[in-house]
Amino acid sequence: MTAPARDPGLQPERTRLAWRRTTLTATVVAVLAGKSALREGAGAAGHVAFALCCALWLGLLVVAHRRIRVLALGGRPAALTPAHASAAALCAVALAVCATALVL
Amino acid sequence: MGKVLRVIELVRNVRFWFAPGRIEDEGETPDYRFSLANERTFLAWLRTSLALIGGGFAVDQFLPDLPWAWRVGLALGLLAAGALCALRAVNHWVRCERAIRRRENLPVSRFPALLSIGVALVALAMVVVVLAGWQE
């Protein structure tokens, strides 16, 4: 009676929900980007920046979805890979760059 | 000297970002619950980063009466903080993952304190600007 005394299901589930929260936050950012791009006076550059924001939002969604699927498999989940983590973080950085283009 | 060592350490960590599996060469695989906890901390920092980016948009969008320089300055400050926060999130995740595998102490960081001070300064600037009612 050692390890199984602890519920193994909760930790992957908490991590899965953390990924879900992260995609929700990214959605809020994408909506704000849309509001910024659709105001009066935003030119073609603004529309391009908004399109890029949408692409990055989708990218983050795909990254999160892949990880969520791994975590939902049950059993002992595979660890997050550095490439996966970098992809998620680079999406956020690129969103900040697009936001800069929209603000200026 | 210390600075040079830190830069070398950063470059070493950046190599880990793009090399899946390399990290598994080090130390031993820990209890997966530790890795998942580290992952959740990474995601919490990523959300902080996204919230800062959203804050940058919000300053730009919802304070339209501010002078241009203030509005853009505050927005760019928040966006830069968001980008920095995301990069630091991966770096810290890699460092923690390696420390856990090698059974070392977790790395300490002054980043949370610096970020708090930065956010407090931006918030203070916004309070002053809004209360003063500066308009173009």
Side-chain angles (χ1 to χ4, degrees):
Chain A
M1 199 59 189
T2 46
R6 196 159 174 167
D7 185 351
L10 285 181
Q11 301 285 336
E13 184 170 359
R14 285 173 64 190
T15 313
R16 210 165 40 122
L17 291 172
W19 275 102
R20 191 46 76 210
R21 285 200 295 280
T22 308
T23 60
L24 279 174
T25 315
T27 307
V28 172
V29 173
V31 168
L32 283 169
K35 189 175 185 305
S36 182
L38 293 177
R39 67 166 186 231
E40 298 160 51
H47 292 122
V48 170
F50 175 54
L52 279 175
C53 280
C54 286
L56 290 165
W57 171 72
L58 272 177
L60 202 60
L61 228 58
V62 168
V63 168
H65 184 69
R66 287 196 176 164
R67 185 63 187 149
I68 283 171
R69 270 175 51 189
V70 169
L71 290 168
L73 282 178
R76 193 196 142 94
L80 180 68
T81 61
H84 214 112
S86 318
L90 288 180
C91 278
V93 172
L95 266 177
V97 172
C98 289
T100 307
L102 276 171
V103 166
L104 285 178
Chain B
M1 191 60 200
K3 255 189 183 156
V4 173
L5 281 178
R6 286 182 59 153
V7 170
I8 292 173
E9 179 71 13
L10 184 73
V11 170
R12 268 174 59 79
N13 286 336
V14 168
R15 201 187 43 154
F16 274 114
W17 293 10
F18 299 101
R22 282 286 269 291
I23 210 166
E24 284 164 15
D25 296 344
E26 300 204 16
E28 51 193 277
T29 305
D31 185 334
Y32 73 86
R33 287 180 303 222
F34 297 148
S35 293
L36 289 181
N38 192 20
E39 182 177 342
R40 287 196 297 276
T41 308
F42 162 69
L43 289 173
W45 277 111
L46 199 60
R47 282 196 298 279
T48 307
S49 152
L50 288 169
L52 286 168
I53 295 169
F57 271 125
V59 166
D60 184 47
Q61 285 294 300
F62 299 114
L63 297 173
D65 295 333
L66 282 188
W68 182 85
W70 273 93
R71 187 163 54 84
V72 170
L74 286 173
L76 287 187
L78 285 170
L79 291 174
L84 200 67
C85 198
L87 289 175
R88 187 265 179 189
V90 202
N91 196 48
H92 193 70
W93 174 80
V94 167
R95 287 175 69 196
C96 286
E97 201 72 3
R98 287 171 66 196
I100 292 170
R101 296 191 74 90
R102 294 165 166 180
R103 293 178 171 273
E104 287 169 0
N105 289 337
L106 291 182
V108 290
S109 170
R110 60 170 79 91
F111 183 82
L114 293 178
L115 183 67
S116 311
I117 291 170
V119 170
L121 287 179
V122 170
L124 207 64
M126 272 198 258
V127 168
V128 168
V129 161
V130 172
L131 278 186
W134 290 343
Q135 300 195 345
E136 264 174 33

